[in-house]
Amino acid sequence: MQAESPVEPDDLTPEQLAAQWEEEKPPAAGALANVGSSLAVICVGVGAVVLSIAMGLGTPSAPQPGLWPFMISCVMVALGLFQLVMGRHNRDAEKFTRMSMAPLTGLVTLAAMVALMPLAGFELPALVLCIIWMRFLGGETWRSTLVVSAVVVAAFYGIFVTALNTSIPHLF
């Protein structure tokens, strides 16, 4: 008796591939998750509206720093309200899983890098950021993580410090 060889994705018909994706996708989110995510978007949008008004809006002919953030924030609030009303009919949303934390992890590590740059330069925080993103968020091997992270930091150093001579904080 011969063992069946695994079917490669290239060997599947579009219908078979769609069926395979349907089997592998995470469970659908319920109405409560749709409401929660809509309210989160609305809250962030309203907070951004308040902050952008505090920065000053100006006029379209003489805009101040808060005008564009204000406009984008208004769009966020409108989309959040739309999702709140129409989202309960949405069946494509996925249930929150462990991987749902990946964007939050990315945001927190990026904020940490920005906070550490004035103290430690950009090289070390950027290297740690690349390693976290590639290894833990991207699932890359240690070898590719370390090589690519070092190359990315070296490339940024070459571009922003050496070539453009920017005032970005750096160690070397």
Side-chain angles (χ1 to χ4, degrees):
M1 186 171 184
Q2 285 184 334
E4 264 188 54
S5 62
V7 179
E8 295 292 321
D10 294 339
D11 298 335
L12 297 175
T13 65
E15 293 80 17
Q16 291 170 323
L17 193 56
Q20 181 182 357
W21 289 341
E22 189 66 29
E23 291 172 12
E24 295 173 356
K25 77 177 189 178
L32 186 59
N34 286 333
V35 169
S37 60
S38 299
L39 290 175
V41 169
I42 292 168
C43 288
V44 169
V46 167
V49 163
V50 170
L51 291 173
S52 62
I53 289 172
M55 289 180 8
L57 301 179
T59 64
S61 61
Q64 290 186 352
L67 183 62
W68 286 109
F70 175 78
M71 292 170 62
I72 299 300
S73 302
C74 288
V75 170
M76 278 181 67
V77 171
L79 290 174
L81 290 170
F82 177 79
Q83 177 64 21
L84 185 62
V85 173
M86 302 303 291
R88 55 195 145 132
H89 306 298
N90 184 1
R91 300 291 175 242
D92 290 338
E94 297 175 356
K95 188 178 249 182
F96 287 106
T97 63
R98 183 174 165 262
M99 284 309 297
S100 301
M101 294 303 291
L104 181 60
T105 303
L107 181 65
V108 168
T109 54
L110 186 61
M113 179 191 142
V114 170
L116 289 173
M117 277 179 53
L119 304 172
F122 86 90
E123 299 93 341
L124 295 178
L127 183 66
V128 171
L129 179 79
C130 284
I131 290 171
I132 291 171
W133 282 15
M134 290 188 65
R135 177 68 183 143
F136 302 109
L137 298 180
E140 296 293 330
T141 64
W142 277 109
R143 182 183 200 176
S144 67
T145 295
L146 295 174
V147 168
V148 171
S149 296
V151 168
V152 165
V153 171
F156 275 102
Y157 186 90
I159 293 169
F160 291 105
V161 175
T162 306
L164 296 175
N165 199 23
T166 63
S167 61
I168 188 170
H170 55 90
L171 291 175
F172 309 106

